[in-house]
Amino acid sequence: MKKLVLAATIVLLAGCASPKQEQINFAPQAATSAAKIVEGKTMSLSSQDVRTAQYVALMDNGRANITPIHTRQNVRIGIENALVQQFSSQGYKVTVNSPNTVKVEIQEALVSVKHTVMENDMAANVVVELTVENSKGKLVKTYTGKATRSGLMSASNDDIETVLNDTVNLVLKEISNDAELVDYMKERF
């Protein structure tokens, strides 16, 4: 029994001594509408993160050392909250029990970083799928945001954070400005 307690203590202390993983802030900004498109229409919104890994960046320093970077905030909740704010600004009332549903699926949110002491290259890719559905029909659309950035010196967490947030914001803006989606929801909800 003493050996078991000693082993558990060693494992716990080793876990405390290990370095913390890198983390960045994830703060997507909703593309709000200046004027309401609809009045009094309800919808329910749900989201799902189907990415294979939960990190949002991979840093490759070229020496067989690839470091994953996570966000401090939950990516799914951040995008869902931004979309709730976005649809609310268009006049939709987001409720729990509505026959009109919008399902958000986050398929990819990743910044690939290759850097050395002298330069860095970043490539961001964000893929979000929206499924708008009710008894009158179903519309499935995929939105993709891509961005690249190069700079001098090695990439900082702030640089990675900016590229990720800017790319997600582009996708949110694309969703907001999608005439087919807006018309579909306006007509069928």
Side-chain angles (χ1 to χ4, degrees):
M1 186 67 178
K2 286 181 182 179
K3 289 182 182 180
L4 182 62
V5 171
L6 181 62
T9 304
I10 290 172
V11 168
L12 284 173
L13 289 175
C16 293
S18 64
K20 284 190 167 189
Q21 288 186 334
E22 296 280 334
Q23 291 186 330
I24 60 172
N25 282 319
F26 180 66
Q29 300 293 315
T32 55
S33 178
K36 293 191 185 290
I37 298 168
V38 297
E39 196 65 46
K41 294 191 177 195
T42 64
M43 63 178 277
S44 63
L45 191 136
S46 62
S47 61
Q48 184 178 12
D49 189 347
V50 297
R51 297 177 297 146
T52 55
Q54 296 305 300
Y55 52 78
V56 292
L58 284 175
M59 286 190 73
D60 182 0
N61 67 6
R63 287 177 250 139
N65 185 14
I66 298 174
T67 307
I69 297 176
H70 294 79
T71 58
R72 290 184 184 94
Q73 301 81 7
N74 186 298
V75 172
R76 180 190 65 78
I77 291 172
I79 291 174
E80 181 179 314
N81 289 342
L83 284 170
V84 166
Q85 187 179 354
Q86 214 163 283
F87 286 124
S88 295
S89 76
Q90 293 175 346
Y92 291 98
K93 184 178 179 192
V94 181
T95 64
V96 178
N97 296 326
S98 174
N100 307 313
T101 62
V102 176
K103 294 178 185 159
V104 181
E105 187 175 278
I106 298 134
Q107 297 177 346
E108 189 171 355
L110 183 66
V111 180
S112 297
V113 183
K114 292 188 180 189
H115 74 113
T116 63
V117 176
M118 300 305 289
E119 64 182 357
N120 69 73
D121 291 310
M122 290 184 271
N125 196 28
V126 175
V127 180
V128 175
E129 182 181 272
L130 252 61
T131 304
V132 179
E133 188 173 13
N134 65 7
S135 61
K136 298 175 185 173
K138 179 178 182 178
L139 174 70
V140 180
K141 297 218 50 183
T142 302
Y143 300 91
T144 304
K146 292 180 185 267
T148 57
R149 181 175 169 187
S150 297
L152 298 174
M153 310 306 274
S154 62
S156 70
N157 281 356
D158 289 342
D159 296 334
I160 296 166
E161 183 178 303
T162 300
V163 170
L164 175 66
N165 286 322
D166 287 352
T167 308
V168 170
N169 292 344
L170 285 172
V171 170
L172 292 171
K173 191 172 186 178
E174 185 182 348
I175 292 169
S176 177
N177 295 331
D178 184 351
E180 182 184 9
L181 177 69
V182 169
D183 291 344
Y184 186 89
M185 289 173 68
K186 193 163 55 168
E187 291 169 10
R188 291 189 166 84
F189 279 12

